[in-house]
Amino acid sequence: MKSIGLKKKSEATREALLAAGTRLFAERGFDGASVDAIARGAKVNKAMISYHFRGKDGLYRAILAETFEPTLKRIEGLKADSRPAPERLKTFVSLFAEMVDHRPGLPAMILREVLSGGHHLDERTIPYFLAVLAAVQQIVKGGIRERSFRRVDPILTHISLIGGLVFFFATQPLRERFAREGRLPVRLPASAAYVAHFQNLMSRALQADEPLKTVRKRR
Amino acid sequence: MKSIGLKKKSEATREALLAAGTRLFAERGFDGASVDAIARGAKVNKAMISYHFRGKDGLYRAILAETFEPTLKRIEGLKADSRPAPERLKTFVSLFAEMVDHRPGLPAMILREVLSGGHHLDERTIPYFLAVLAAVQQIVKGGIRERSFRRVDPILTHISLIGGLVFFFATQPLRERFAREGRLPVRLPASAAYVAHFQNLMSRALQADEPLKTVRKRR
DNA sequence: GTCTATAGGCTGATAGAC
DNA sequence: GTCTATCAGCCTATAGAC
């Protein structure tokens, strides 16, 4: 049989390595995750990493690139979105959460990368980080211009926004561990609950002091 | 001479290792920082790590313990503080910033630790994380009770708070790099500016809907 | 495309001289 | 307390069989 519709086995291998790599890089960092462990996690031979991704570095960057790409396109789509800034900000938060849903380890990888000053990034992956920054900036500045947001510093606001968002997803492993060990209540917050909480929190935090519902007279 | 007032050389060695270790563990993670590099960074011989801290693990945990301890005491002092919750929350943010001032790499180390689900923590260091959680919880719940905060979920609020705070300090290396490479404006935000921004942001985000300044009439 | 076997480098730890 | 020298173990990468 000439295998027309079915996915090739090599693609399954690739995908298994991407998934296992994300999990292990997220959990243990670049140096902490050995290629041996990744291959074992993907149930694939070690040598496949060199074959498909030209080594450990290549696999690492491929994970960032292939996961960021689709989400980034959607995030950049927000630039064309004509709804008011608070709406677009909420959508941004939701999009971020969807990305995480697709590859749960990504926030941790992003965070680790940011922590190390981008040690493992190259010219292909750096732009992703800057593009997210640009998208948030555009929303915040737009909101200030249309007077739905107060006059916050866009960079500082960006940091608070991404920080609060990434931290939730990245800390789930620890909360799960603490819950398992009885150090925290067993009922842990779900992603959806946090997304709603955080959208609300940021909306209130950024809201302009005078909602400008009606035209004001000089007094 | 019997060296009465002067610090012993062994203490200088210890401190140099703690400082170099923090910097390298923060930047490269536990596995990424080799004992060789740490010793070189501290301008001290490799074997001193085993001698003073019983190996790499010991140095790592000593950094967490010795840096957390003094700050934690001050944070726990907040529990006895009788000022209204919004004031205490602001103080919490300031205290956190002061701790960072003392050992700049700490937020990154904390974050990495949280990311890995506490892989390198032992029974002596875990309580530090839980104590911070407890302190924030106490402030948030107090604020809700005294009606200065709206009815937010204390856990979710804790995550947003710590996330936004830690993220700023932990991402400074990346911002510095991007600034150096001309990818970001050269004037980077100072800690003090972020602290003020974030205190303001959280105050507004948590503020109760009805400030209760005066008794309201039914309408 | 996949696997096995192996080469070669680097890591953390420590014994023993000072 | 400090240093030098050394070692066993693990790491990544790859050559070559299938």
Side-chain angles (χ1 to χ4, degrees):
Chain A
M1 187 170 83
K2 275 189 177 171
S3 106
I4 27 161
L6 286 170
K7 283 192 176 163
K8 278 168 286 177
K9 186 170 179 194
S10 75
E11 255 182 55
T13 301
R14 250 186 87 89
E15 175 54 31
L17 283 171
L18 289 171
T22 311
R23 205 176 59 77
L24 281 159
F25 284 137
E27 206 168 289
R28 310 183 164 223
F30 183 83
D31 297 285
S34 72
V35 294
D36 218 87
I38 295 171
R40 222 179 311 122
K43 288 172 184 162
V44 148
N45 190 279
K46 213 164 66 148
M48 290 298 95
I49 292 173
S50 286
Y51 179 78
H52 284 285
F53 303 98
R54 323 165 114 260
K56 192 185 186 181
D57 294 53
L59 171 61
Y60 185 88
R61 291 195 207 101
I63 290 170
L64 288 182
E66 297 190 13
T67 314
F68 248 124
E69 192 123 320
T71 304
L72 196 58
K73 277 194 184 137
R74 297 180 63 192
I75 285 176
E76 290 190 316
L78 277 179
K79 283 187 186 165
D81 192 324
S82 60
R83 289 173 306 153
E87 296 297 316
R88 287 188 294 149
L89 196 68
K90 280 187 183 174
T91 305
F92 173 84
V93 174
S94 302
L95 285 178
F96 196 95
E98 277 176 39
M99 174 179 77
V100 176
D101 213 52
H102 175 230
R103 262 203 220 292
L106 203 76
M109 280 184 67
I110 293 175
L111 213 33
R112 283 202 140 94
E113 206 42 62
V114 161
L115 291 183
S116 65
H119 251 270
H120 309 99
L121 300 180
D122 58 2
E123 286 303 321
R124 209 169 87 259
T125 34
I126 286 179
Y128 292 122
F129 289 78
L130 294 168
V132 174
L133 173 63
V136 173
Q137 298 277 80
Q138 197 251 11
I139 295 174
V140 174
K141 285 181 183 164
I144 294 173
R145 209 177 314 112
E146 75 192 31
R147 309 237 198 250
S148 43
F149 291 157
R150 61 197 174 83
R151 301 192 144 283
V152 287
D153 178 307
I155 297 260
L156 301 183
T157 305
H158 171 258
I159 297 170
S160 313
L161 180 77
I162 302 291
L165 207 46
V166 167
F167 192 71
F168 170 77
F169 293 107
T171 53
Q172 272 180 330
L174 189 65
R175 278 194 298 280
E176 273 160 26
R177 174 184 163 184
F178 282 174
R180 223 180 302 121
E181 294 175 356
R183 301 180 203 264
L184 278 183
V186 253
R187 259 287 162 221
L188 292 175
S191 292
Y194 188 74
V195 166
H197 157 88
F198 198 63
Q199 286 172 329
N200 190 355
L201 198 81
M202 288 307 282
S203 294
R204 288 167 180 263
L206 296 182
Q207 204 165 52
D209 286 320
E210 310 195 358
L212 207 95
K213 276 178 189 158
T214 58
V215 178
R216 273 173 177 275
K217 278 190 279 200
R218 289 243 193 86
R219 53 169 173 150
Chain B
M1 187 171 79
K2 276 189 177 170
S3 105
I4 27 163
L6 284 171
K7 283 194 178 164
K8 279 169 285 178
K9 186 172 179 194
S10 76
E11 255 182 56
T13 301
R14 251 186 86 88
E15 175 55 31
L17 282 171
L18 289 171
T22 311
R23 204 176 60 75
L24 281 159
F25 284 137
E27 206 168 291
R28 309 182 166 224
F30 183 84
D31 296 286
S34 72
V35 294
D36 219 87
I38 295 171
R40 223 178 308 124
K43 289 174 182 159
V44 148
N45 190 278
K46 209 165 66 147
M48 291 298 95
I49 293 173
S50 286
Y51 179 78
H52 284 284
F53 302 98
R54 324 164 114 260
K56 192 185 187 181
D57 294 52
L59 171 61
Y60 185 89
R61 291 196 207 103
I63 291 170
L64 288 183
E66 298 190 12
T67 314
F68 248 123
E69 192 123 319
T71 304
L72 196 58
K73 277 194 185 138
R74 298 179 63 192
I75 285 175
E76 289 190 316
L78 278 179
K79 284 187 187 166
D81 192 324
S82 59
R83 290 173 305 152
E87 297 297 316
R88 287 188 294 148
L89 196 67
K90 280 187 183 173
T91 304
F92 173 85
V93 174
S94 302
L95 284 178
F96 196 96
E98 277 175 40
M99 173 178 77
V100 176
D101 214 53
H102 175 231
R103 263 203 220 293
L106 203 76
M109 280 184 67
I110 293 174
L111 213 32
R112 284 201 138 95
E113 206 41 62
V114 161
L115 291 183
S116 65
H119 251 271
H120 310 98
L121 300 180
D122 59 1
E123 285 303 320
R124 209 170 85 258
T125 33
I126 286 179
Y128 293 122
F129 289 77
L130 294 169
V132 174
L133 173 62
V136 173
Q137 298 278 79
Q138 198 253 12
I139 295 174
V140 173
K141 285 180 182 165
I144 295 173
R145 209 177 315 111
E146 74 192 32
R147 309 237 198 249
S148 43
F149 291 156
R150 61 195 175 84
R151 302 191 144 281
V152 287
D153 179 307
I155 297 261
L156 300 183
T157 304
H158 171 258
I159 297 170
S160 313
L161 180 77
I162 303 291
L165 208 46
V166 168
F167 192 71
F168 170 78
F169 294 107
T171 52
Q172 272 180 329
L174 189 65
R175 278 194 297 279
E176 273 160 26
R177 176 184 161 184
F178 282 174
R180 223 180 305 120
E181 294 174 355
R183 300 180 203 266
L184 277 183
V186 252
R187 259 289 162 219
L188 291 176
S191 292
Y194 188 73
V195 166
H197 156 88
F198 197 63
Q199 287 171 330
N200 189 354
L201 198 80
M202 288 308 281
S203 294
R204 287 168 180 262
L206 296 182
Q207 203 164 53
D209 285 320
E210 309 196 357
L212 208 94
K213 275 177 192 159
T214 58
V215 178
R216 272 172 177 275
K217 276 189 279 197
R218 289 245 192 86
R219 54 168 174 151

